[in-house]
């Protein structure tokens, strides 16, 4: 029927050709993604299940997974080249214990959701504590930076920078197929554009011989999920040289920026099938660590702690290193024995669980354990009623004679004796006990202070370092105690006061006993070691201590010291030893602090460090000295200017501005801060009652993905 001149014609949408892989499909802009996929499958004429397939746009670097959206909504035009590919792909996943699994991961969802699914398959609870990190090797960072280390790590500064290939690089270049843990295809590691100084490209044109590292890991075959709770013993000397070990603070900060963006998918971050990806504990706050349900999680956490100690990623003293070595020896002794699983009791108040030997499950014992968990105290059947009453009637004041020293430039380190009194969160000291009712020499508010231990068991040195915030930065005060018992009392009081709590709380006694137990574990055993024990524990010290201690002591000296320390932990079972290892690891001053090199807006210094911990932010010098502390609980808001990458954080009465340096993304810092706030909400009723993964992911993304 001819159209009249007065009747307007309705324009039809123009059709055009869209290339998907090598197939051309005729589409128009109003077609939905679902219709395009149906037309593509019909043209392929292949009998196959395409339910796991979706469209990927390489140029825009996005998935077209919303099947109800049109091509116009996604901005797809005729020049676009799309791929029709599966959303689940195989990757090489390296666990914290350095074993590698070939596992399917969802490349179309966010990294947060993908990690939750991976951890569910691996039977690891609380997946929000973990994330994926790229495997990379460090290249020279302009070659002009001095080696900067923390105050506790004073090493000799060498002229040229040693370069250590990462564990992932060595495995990626391995073409051996002897183990089921290795995929026959050599992966190609990609680097992000944001970190141009980290080169993770691997030359895969030449086949490499099987290295000692590969031979060691070829024995780590998995027969079932239960094996993930027990890592086979491997020669550390073959693995340690392959671990990436930054030798200055800038390289360490660059490594901290290699974490995947949790709000984007794996494929959107330049990861392809069969790439090597590392699964690690990213946030150092471990919630509800229960060995009854977390055998795999506990073992992987212990392994990550062990490698951080052996690779010198975190520094420790001689006594602490011997304690770590003794606990590692005890764990390996149990690992090598085939024994039946038994229940246990471990007094680990930091983790918050207690276990018994399974022999006394009567009503009285159950009531006592319930009382312990509610009051934060430990009771035994022999404890009398008077002792319990004494615990509930603790005085809110602690006083004693201690020695004090305030470090100043060009002054001798002399300690003066004063009478100290701590009440609530305030510390005062006087010339002597008789002056307590008069005006004190000084009043020190302890809330918000940094409390650091300074203990040397062998030389009987029991000191406490107080870092007191002030206008000029952090003022240091050192208080020395005379005995172990005195140190435990005051250290527990200082720790509670720094958190705004007093010694009248029941948790004070728990904290004091925990400190005493930790010091007792580090104390050398007075009993001599028999030849029978030496033969039974024929150890190689280089497998239990870091390279620094191997160079510092002779092999015979290390063996004797490790066996002496082992005598104090020889009664622990495997799970208890792992829990104790994690607890000692958490007690280290440098534990859980992720550092980034930044430039503060109001500062004249070109480079400073921003440290992010679970409950605070730290402003630090390039040598690791703490200048100021901001508590996350006092944070009011934080945001990022995505144009100039300036990060702004507002606290009560103070606002700070800083700019990340060396190509570090502001999003990475923003995600750390938001994630720790998210993890702190897990103890609230809202989070504990919410088991919906989608709602938890939504809350996580709201706190971490500022541009959403």
């Amino acid at each position: 029927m001819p159209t009249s001149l007065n009747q307007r014609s309705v324009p039809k949408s123009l059709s055009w050709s869209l290339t998907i892989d090598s197939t051309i499909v005729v589409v128009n802009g109003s077609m939905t993604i679902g219709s395009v996929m149906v037309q593509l499958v019909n043209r392929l004429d292949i009998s196959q299940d395409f339910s796991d397939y979706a469209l990927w746009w390489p140029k825009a670097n996005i998935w077209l997974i919303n099947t109800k959206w049109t091509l116009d909504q996604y901005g797809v035009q005729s020049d676009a080249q799309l791929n029709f590919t599966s959303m689940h792909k195989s990757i090489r996943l390296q666990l914290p214990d350095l074993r590698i699994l070939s596992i399917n991961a969802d490349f179309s969802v966010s990294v947060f959701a993908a990690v939750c699914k991976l951890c569910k398959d691996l039977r690891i609870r609380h997946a929000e504590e973990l994330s994926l990190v790229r495997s990379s090797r460090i290249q020279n960072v302009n070659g002009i930076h001095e080696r900067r280390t923390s105050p506790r790590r004073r090493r000799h500064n060498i002229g040229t920078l040693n370069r250590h290939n990462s564990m992932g690089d060595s495995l990626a270049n391995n073409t051996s197929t002897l183990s089921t843990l290795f995929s026959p295809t050599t992966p190609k590691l990609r680097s992000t554009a944001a970190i141009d100084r980290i080169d993770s490209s691997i030359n895969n044109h030449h086949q490499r011989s099987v290295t000692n590292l590969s031979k060691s890991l070829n024995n780590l075959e998995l027969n079932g999920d239960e094996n993930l709770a027990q890592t086979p013993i491997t020669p550390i000397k073959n693995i340690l040289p392959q671990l990436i070990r930054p030798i200055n603070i800038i390289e360490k900060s660059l490594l901290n920026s290699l974490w995947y963006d949790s709000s984007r998918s794996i494929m959107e971050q330049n990861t392809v099938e069969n790439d090597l990806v590392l699964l690690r504990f990213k946030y150092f706050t471990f919630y509800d660590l229960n060995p009854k349900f977390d055998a795999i999680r506990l073992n992987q956490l212990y392994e990550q702690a062990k490698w951080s100690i052996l690779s010198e990623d975190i520094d420790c003293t001689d006594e602490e290193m011997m304690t770590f070595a003794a606990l590692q020896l005890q764990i390996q002794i149990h690992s090598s024995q085939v024994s039946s699983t038994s229940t246990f009791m471990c007094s680990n108040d930091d983790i918050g669980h207690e276990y018994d030997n399974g022999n006394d499950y009567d009503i009285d014992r159950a009531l006592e354990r319930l009382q312990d968990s509610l009051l934060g105290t430990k009771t035994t059947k022999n404890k009398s009623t008077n002792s319990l009453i004494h615990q509930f009637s603790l005085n809110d004041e602690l006083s004693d004679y201690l020695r004090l020293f305030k470090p100043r430039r060009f002054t001798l380190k002399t300690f003066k004796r004063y009478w100290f009194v701590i009440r609530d969160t305030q510390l005062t000291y006087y010339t002597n006990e008789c002056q307590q009712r008069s005006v004190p020499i000084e009043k020190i508010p302890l809330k918000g202070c940094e409390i650091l231990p300074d203990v040397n068991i062998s030389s009987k040195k029991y000191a406490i370092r107080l870092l007191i915030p002030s206008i000029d930065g952090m003022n240091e005060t050192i208080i020395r105690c005379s005995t172990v018992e005195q140190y435990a009392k005051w250290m527990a009081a200082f720790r509670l006061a720094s958190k705004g709590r007093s010694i009248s709380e029941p948790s004070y006694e728990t904290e004091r006993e925990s400190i005493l137990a930790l010091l007792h574990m580090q104390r050398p055993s007075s009993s001599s070691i028999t030849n029978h024990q030496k033969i039974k524990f024929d150890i190689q010290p280089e497998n239990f201590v870091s390279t620094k201690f191997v160079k510092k002591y002779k092999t015979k000296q290390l063996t004797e010291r490790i066996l002496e320390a082992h005598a104090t932990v020889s009664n622990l079972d495997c799970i208890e030893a792992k829990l104790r290892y994690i607890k000692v690891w958490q007690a280290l001053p440098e534990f859980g602090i992720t550092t980034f090199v930044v430039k503060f807006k109001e500062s004249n210094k070109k480079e400073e460090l921003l440290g992010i911990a679970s409950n605070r932010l730290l402003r630090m010098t390039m040598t690791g000295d703490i200048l100021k502390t901001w508590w996350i609980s006092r944070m009011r808001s934080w945001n990022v200017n995505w144009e100039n990458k300036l990060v702004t954080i507002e606290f009560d009465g103070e606002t700070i501005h800083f700019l990340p340096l060396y190509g570090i993304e502001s999003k990475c810092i923003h995600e750390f801060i938001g994630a720790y706030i998210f993890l702190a909400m897990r103890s609230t009723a809202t989070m504990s009652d919410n088991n919906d993964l989608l709602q938890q992911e939504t809350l996580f993304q709201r706190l971490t993905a500022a541009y959403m």
Side-chain angles (χ1 to χ4, degrees):
M1 178 178 181
T3 305
S4 62
L5 296 176
N6 296 330
Q7 183 179 0
R8 293 183 179 181
S9 61
V10 179
K12 297 181 180 180
S13 58
L14 299 177
S15 299
W16 38 273
S17 299
L18 177 65
T19 303
I20 303 177
D21 292 331
S22 59
T23 305
I24 298 178
V25 181
V26 179
V27 298
N28 57 66
S30 61
M31 286 186 63
T32 62
I33 299 298
S35 301
V36 174
M37 293 173 61
V38 170
Q39 184 175 347
L40 174 65
V41 171
N42 292 333
R43 288 183 62 87
L44 291 177
D45 194 19
I46 299 176
S47 178
Q48 182 180 341
D49 184 9
F50 291 101
S51 60
D52 188 47
Y53 278 63
L55 293 177
W56 166 254
W57 189 2
K59 185 177 181 179
N61 198 35
I62 59 172
W63 284 94
L64 310 181
I65 56 176
N66 192 337
T67 56
K68 295 183 179 180
W69 275 31
T70 64
L71 294 176
D72 287 340
Q73 287 179 296
Y74 273 115
V76 178
Q77 299 179 357
S78 59
D79 60 342
Q81 299 285 335
L82 304 183
N83 294 334
F84 189 54
T85 181
S86 60
M87 294 181 287
H88 288 79
K89 300 179 184 296
S90 177
I91 61 171
R92 292 182 179 185
L93 185 69
Q94 187 189 73
L95 302 180
D97 65 355
L98 305 186
R99 282 187 284 184
I100 298 178
L101 307 177
S102 180
I103 194 169
N104 282 330
D106 194 341
F107 275 49
S108 64
V109 297
S110 66
V111 170
F112 181 88
V115 170
C116 290
K117 180 61 170 62
L118 290 174
C119 290
K120 183 178 180 181
D121 295 338
L122 297 173
R123 300 182 184 179
I124 299 177
R125 294 199 310 155
H126 298 289
E128 64 274 7
E129 299 170 355
L130 298 92
S131 188
L132 301 178
V133 62
R134 300 174 182 86
S135 177
S136 162
R137 58 184 176 188
I138 299 180
Q139 291 191 346
N140 200 343
V141 187
N142 296 335
I144 59 176
H145 300 286
E146 297 180 357
R147 183 177 187 176
R148 293 157 176 165
T149 56
S150 64
R152 304 184 80 204
R153 186 180 297 173
R154 304 299 186 188
R155 302 179 189 163
H156 180 65
N157 193 359
I158 57 179
T160 59
L161 298 179
N162 287 331
R163 289 294 172 262
H164 301 272
N165 290 340
S166 72
M167 184 77 167
D169 294 337
S170 300
L171 295 173
N173 290 323
N174 175 35
T175 57
S176 171
T177 57
L178 298 178
S179 173
T180 57
L181 300 182
F182 295 91
S183 175
T185 306
T186 304
K188 301 178 181 179
L189 302 181
R190 304 291 183 91
S191 61
T192 58
I195 310 172
D196 54 357
R197 296 177 183 85
I198 299 288
D199 179 22
S200 59
S201 61
I202 305 301
N203 181 10
N204 63 334
H205 298 290
H206 301 284
Q207 292 191 353
R208 308 292 179 87
S209 60
V210 181
T211 62
N212 292 332
L213 168 67
S214 303
K215 292 178 181 178
S216 300
L217 292 177
N218 280 338
N219 296 324
L220 304 183
E221 299 185 7
L222 299 180
N223 298 322
D225 292 343
E226 294 77 8
N227 287 344
L228 294 178
Q230 204 71 41
T231 302
I233 301 175
T234 55
I236 295 178
K237 61 182 180 180
N238 294 339
I239 298 179
L240 193 59
Q242 306 298 331
L243 293 177
I244 188 164
R245 300 163 67 188
I247 61 175
N248 58 54
I249 201 68
I250 297 176
E251 290 183 354
K252 187 173 183 179
S253 297
L254 288 174
L255 289 177
N256 290 333
S257 64
L258 290 180
W259 293 96
Y260 278 79
D261 188 341
S262 297
S263 61
R264 302 169 63 196
S265 68
I266 299 176
M267 198 158 180
E268 291 172 347
Q269 302 181 61
N270 298 327
T271 302
V272 297
E273 191 171 5
N274 288 327
D275 268 359
L276 181 66
V277 180
L278 280 58
L279 179 67
R280 295 291 186 269
F281 287 89
K282 181 178 181 180
Y283 308 109
F284 298 95
T285 169
F286 314 119
Y287 182 71
D288 190 24
L289 190 57
N290 188 340
K292 183 178 180 181
F293 309 104
D294 295 327
I296 297 176
R297 178 186 175 205
L298 179 62
N299 180 65
Q300 298 301 322
L301 182 57
Y302 154 72
E303 289 290 336
Q304 182 167 331
K306 182 186 74 174
W307 289 113
S308 69
I309 296 297
L310 295 179
S311 63
E312 301 179 14
D313 180 61
I314 184 171
D315 199 25
C316 58
T317 62
D318 290 18
E319 288 80 8
E320 291 166 344
M321 178 56 74
M322 295 306 122
T323 301
F324 285 125
L327 290 170
Q328 181 183 338
L329 175 60
Q330 180 68 6
I331 294 170
Q332 291 191 3
I333 291 173
H334 283 285
S335 299
S336 61
Q337 297 173 351
V338 180
S339 58
S340 58
T341 305
S342 59
T343 55
F344 47 86
M345 184 176 84
C346 176
S347 58
N348 192 334
D349 300 289
D350 289 347
I351 298 176
H353 290 279
E354 292 192 355
Y355 310 90
D356 59 24
N357 293 324
N359 297 325
D360 301 323
Y361 276 101
D362 53 352
I363 297 178
D364 294 336
R365 186 60 178 166
L367 290 175
E368 289 180 4
R369 290 198 303 272
L370 177 61
Q371 178 178 316
D372 294 345
S373 62
L374 293 176
L375 300 178
T377 60
K378 296 179 180 180
T379 61
T380 60
K381 293 184 178 181
N382 298 329
K383 187 173 290 186
S384 61
T385 306
N386 293 332
S387 62
L388 290 175
I389 296 175
H390 174 70
Q391 287 189 4
F392 299 131
S393 60
L394 286 173
N395 194 5
D396 59 352
E397 180 182 292
L398 182 63
S399 58
D400 204 345
Y401 279 105
L402 304 172
R403 296 186 179 274
L404 178 136
F405 168 70
K406 292 187 175 183
R408 296 290 185 271
R409 285 188 175 182
F410 311 111
T411 58
L412 297 176
K413 193 172 183 179
T414 56
F415 287 84
K416 293 185 179 180
R417 188 170 180 263
Y418 296 101
W419 177 259
F420 284 80
V421 178
I422 181 172
R423 178 184 291 272
D424 294 331
T425 61
Q426 190 174 55
L427 176 68
T428 57
Y429 62 93
Y430 309 84
T431 306
N432 51 52
E433 185 178 358
C434 300
Q435 302 293 327
Q436 183 173 346
R437 301 301 177 185
S438 60
V439 180
I441 299 176
E442 184 182 5
K443 294 182 179 180
I444 303 176
L446 296 176
K447 187 175 182 179
C449 292
E450 286 283 328
I451 312 297
L452 302 176
D454 189 5
V455 179
N456 192 320
I457 303 294
S458 57
S459 60
K460 297 183 179 180
K461 173 187 174 183
Y462 310 104
I464 304 171
R465 294 176 56 206
L466 305 181
L467 300 181
I468 307 167
S470 65
I471 299 177
D472 300 328
M474 302 292 281
N475 296 330
E476 183 177 6
T477 299
I478 302 177
I479 297 177
R480 177 171 289 182
C481 304
S482 303
T483 62
V484 177
E485 291 75 13
Q486 188 183 53
Y487 169 83
K489 290 194 300 183
W490 285 89
M491 188 64 176
F494 285 144
R495 285 181 177 176
L496 290 179
S498 66
K499 301 175 184 177
R501 301 160 64 183
S502 66
I503 62 174
S504 60
E505 299 183 13
S507 58
Y508 166 74
E509 190 66 22
T510 302
E511 183 73 22
R512 186 187 68 83
E513 292 180 1
S514 176
I515 295 172
L516 280 176
L518 187 61
L519 293 175
H520 175 72
M521 188 174 54
Q522 298 179 9
R523 184 180 303 168
S525 177
S526 58
S527 59
S528 60
I529 302 173
T530 63
N531 293 331
H532 174 72
Q533 287 176 312
K534 290 184 178 180
I535 295 174
K536 182 179 179 181
F537 302 143
D538 186 12
I539 63 174
Q540 296 177 348
E542 62 271 16
N543 288 334
F544 296 89
V545 297
S546 62
T547 307
K548 177 177 66 175
F549 291 92
V550 174
K551 297 178 179 179
K552 184 177 181 180
Y553 297 103
K554 296 181 180 179
T555 302
K556 184 177 179 181
Q557 292 176 322
L558 282 176
T559 302
E560 292 178 351
R561 294 194 62 179
I562 292 174
L563 293 179
E564 286 178 359
H566 177 260
T568 63
V569 298
S570 58
N571 60 332
L572 301 178
D573 62 26
C574 186
I575 299 297
E576 286 178 322
K578 289 179 181 179
L579 288 171
R580 192 73 61 86
Y581 195 105
I582 296 172
K583 185 175 182 180
V584 179
W585 180 48
Q586 291 175 314
L588 296 177
E590 298 179 10
F591 166 79
I593 300 178
T594 306
T595 56
F596 299 94
V597 182
V598 300
K599 169 68 171 67
F600 283 92
K601 187 177 181 180
E602 73 282 359
S603 175
N604 296 326
K605 297 181 179 179
K606 294 182 179 180
E607 298 174 357
E608 289 182 283
L609 289 180
L610 174 72
I612 304 178
S614 60
N615 58 351
R616 66 197 186 280
L617 302 182
L618 304 171
R619 184 174 181 174
M620 309 163 68
T621 64
M622 293 301 291
T623 57
D625 296 320
I626 299 176
L627 299 176
K628 195 165 187 180
T629 301
W630 300 281
W631 297 95
I632 292 181
S633 59
R634 299 182 179 181
M635 184 187 301
R636 303 181 66 179
S637 65
W638 76 101
N639 58 77
V640 179
N641 186 330
W642 299 109
E643 294 183 359
N644 57 13
K645 299 182 179 180
L646 184 68
V647 182
T648 302
I649 304 178
E650 182 182 357
F651 296 92
D652 293 338
E654 184 179 7
T655 303
I656 61 174
H657 310 270
F658 58 85
L659 186 68
L661 303 179
Y662 298 104
I664 299 174
E665 287 291 335
S666 302
K667 174 62 169 62
C668 184
I669 298 177
H670 184 279
E671 183 170 317
F672 266 94
I673 298 174
Y676 275 125
I677 296 177
F678 171 80
L679 296 177
M681 299 172 62
R682 291 184 296 183
S683 59
T684 62
T686 303
M687 287 291 294
S688 60
D689 295 339
N690 183 15
N691 295 322
D692 189 354
L693 179 61
L694 181 60
Q695 294 184 14
Q696 291 189 15
E697 181 183 1
T698 302
L699 178 59
F700 182 87
Q701 301 298 351
R702 287 177 57 188
L703 292 172
T704 58
Y707 47 77
M708 291 186 65

